[in-house]
Amino acid sequence: MPLAVLVFLALTATALGYSALCFFSPFGPCRRCEGTGNHISWWDKRRAANGTPSRPKRRSIRKPCRRCKGTGARLRIGRRIHNRAHKIHADGTR
Ligand SMILES: [Zn+2]
């Protein structure tokens, strides 16, 4: 089998897998607070980078994360693209 066909199949499988992921699970964990919803200060990040064990992750929110407003979730990029395309199509075919 030629290399181009293998590359095409691999890219197609990756795209279909990511599309399915965005369909069934449109939200991913927030990258800034790692899905906890808590604000992580620069001091906590520095301690984690130095290898000092950070405090255990608590479910209660001390101060909400500014990026996800305390939800701990973010919309995946693929789902964001889908929503934008859907809105453009709906606006154009009205
Ligand atoms: Zn967050």
Side-chain angles (χ1 to χ4, degrees):
M1 204 183 299
L3 184 65
V5 175
L6 286 176
V7 169
F8 174 75
L9 286 177
L11 289 177
T12 305
T14 305
L16 286 178
Y18 187 66
S19 300
L21 178 70
C22 289
F23 180 77
F24 290 111
S25 173
F27 292 100
C30 173
R31 292 196 184 114
R32 187 167 188 137
C33 64
E34 297 160 359
T36 60
N38 276 319
H39 176 76
I40 298 178
S41 65
W42 64 271
W43 180 249
D44 291 340
K45 277 194 173 175
R46 186 170 162 216
R47 283 180 48 164
N50 287 340
T52 309
S54 59
R55 281 174 263 167
K57 291 177 184 174
R58 291 189 292 177
R59 271 314 294 164
S60 63
I61 293 182
R62 294 171 286 153
K63 182 180 174 187
C65 169
R66 285 190 294 179
R67 190 165 181 173
C68 63
K69 298 180 180 84
T71 61
R74 67 172 172 85
L75 203 56
R76 293 187 195 277
I77 293 172
R79 186 66 182 202
R80 205 173 299 157
I81 291 171
H82 171 267
N83 287 352
R84 180 66 55 90
H86 185 77
K87 184 179 182 315
I88 289 172
H89 178 74
D91 289 348
T93 54
R94 206 170 274 172

